Amino acid sequence: MTDLPSGWIWVDLADVAEVQGGIQKQAKRRPVLNKYPFLRVANVHRGRLDLADVHEVELFDGELERFELRRGDLLVVEGNGSPDQIGRAATWDGSINSCVHQNHLIRLRPSGALLHEFLELVWNSPLVARHLREVAGSTSGLYTLSTGKLKSVRLPLPPLAEQGRIVTQVKEQLNNVDRLLAEIDRARQKSLALRVSLLSEAFAGRLVEQNPSDEPGRELLARIQAERAAVFPEKAGGSRRAKRKAPSPSVGHNGDDFKQEALPL
């Protein structure tokens, strides 16, 4: 473990968060009577949620109380074929009431010693991502985690005030990045429109002020063609002569077929 700033400590995840598995989707879980929103791996990306397609699942007595998500819970992807995606996580925002999650997502519920915003930042950091790749097992190309492995993950923990300061600074920097990306996109669109306008003006001859004494383009083209025909008369008439149909080599002048006799050597 690397050295930490003064006041920071290394902790096991189990010491600062509750680790909970999810619900396995089975035939008996087909939503009929007690159906509830059900988050899947497809809904959880690194640092963000995609709630455009949320499925439903059937719950039984006591399961909602046990598995219901709370705002601030961190959802961790348990398995993935890519080592770079293993353990990716996003914080539940509470936008859907009475929502649960599948067993391929592991729920981390931080204690009072850990801000949920800080947990998401440190969890998706290269430090923890590298550690998750090391502890994830691989079966037939699928990297998997477990609640037991996650409980032993070591996290750098600063005091609460320091956590809040870090979260604020990171949010400010991310907002700056978003603003710069938006400005770049606007500049790209403006550049494309300017290019189209510039080409249009160029082909219309409106880029520079026209001299009334300049020879019109159509007359200039005709003059160039005439000058070329005068210098290369054989090329000027060649195309016309090529279009004339030559007599067939197998037909005589009288129209009768003939055979070419071999000349004696």
Side-chain angles (χ1 to χ4, degrees), residues 111-123:
S111 68
L114 183 61
L115 297 180
H116 66 82
E117 299 97 337
F118 181 80
L119 174 59
E120 180 181 309
L121 289 178
V122 71
W123 192 268

Side-chain angles (χ1 to χ4, degrees), residues 3-261:
D3 294 334
L4 296 176
S6 177
W8 292 47
I9 59 173
W10 287 103
V11 295
D12 289 340
L13 177 65
D15 295 333
V16 291
E18 173 190 314
V19 183
Q20 171 71 53
I23 299 172
Q24 184 178 5
K25 194 171 184 179
Q26 301 171 326
K28 67 178 183 179
R29 296 288 185 180
R30 185 170 62 88
V32 179
L33 298 176
N34 298 303
K35 54 186 179 181
Y36 290 88
F38 181 67
L39 295 188
R40 301 163 294 125
V41 170
N43 301 121
V44 178
H45 299 264
R46 193 176 298 280
R48 66 180 180 88
L49 297 169
D50 181 359
L51 304 180
D53 182 22
V54 176
H55 291 194
E56 292 182 327
V57 68
E58 186 82 1
L59 295 185
F60 303 104
D61 292 344
E63 288 187 326
L64 180 61
E65 291 75 12
R66 179 183 176 189
F67 294 105
E68 184 178 9
L69 292 171
R70 299 179 189 171
R71 183 179 181 277
D73 287 345
L74 188 70
L75 294 169
V76 178
V77 174
E78 173 203 46
N80 198 280
S82 171
D84 293 333
Q85 295 298 318
I86 185 67
R88 71 172 190 258
T91 301
W92 176 239
D93 58 7
S95 58
I96 302 176
N97 293 328
S98 302
C99 190
V100 295
H101 62 100
Q102 72 171 157
N103 61 317
H104 295 304
L105 296 172
I106 300 175
R107 184 192 74 196
L108 309 184
R109 180 166 291 167
S111 68
L114 183 61
L115 297 180
H116 66 82
E117 299 97 337
F118 181 80
L119 174 59
E120 180 181 309
L121 289 178
V122 71
W123 192 268
N124 286 320
S125 69
L127 174 68
V128 174
R130 181 170 59 251
H131 179 61
L132 293 178
R133 287 195 297 269
E134 293 173 354
V135 302
S138 176
T139 304
S140 300
L142 180 64
Y143 296 86
T144 58
L145 297 168
S146 64
T147 56
K149 290 178 180 178
L150 293 192
K151 288 179 180 180
S152 61
V153 171
R154 300 278 283 172
L155 301 177
L157 183 70
L160 278 174
E162 183 71 3
Q163 294 179 39
R165 186 185 66 81
I166 293 172
V167 169
T168 299
Q169 288 188 348
V170 171
K171 285 184 176 180
E172 290 177 354
Q173 295 302 320
L174 290 177
N175 288 336
N176 290 335
V177 170
D178 291 339
R179 186 178 67 256
L180 289 174
L181 290 175
E183 292 178 0
I184 291 172
D185 186 63
R186 285 194 296 269
R188 184 182 295 112
Q189 295 299 324
K190 184 177 180 180
S191 174
L192 178 61
L194 182 59
R195 177 182 177 85
V196 172
S197 176
L198 182 63
L199 291 175
S200 177
E201 292 296 300
F203 285 120
R206 293 192 293 265
L207 279 184
V208 296
E209 184 177 353
Q210 298 297 303
N211 191 333
S213 63
D214 287 343
E215 184 178 12
R218 184 175 300 177
E219 295 180 8
L220 175 62
L221 180 60
R223 180 169 59 80
I224 292 175
Q225 291 175 340
E227 291 176 354
R228 291 185 61 184
V231 176
F232 306 104
E234 67 282 0
K235 291 187 177 181
S239 59
R240 290 191 295 270
R241 288 195 299 271
K243 294 179 181 178
R244 297 173 185 170
K245 185 177 180 181
S248 172
S250 62
V251 180
H253 293 293
N254 58 2
D256 298 330
D257 293 343
F258 71 95
K259 296 181 180 179
Q260 184 177 3
E261 297 181 359

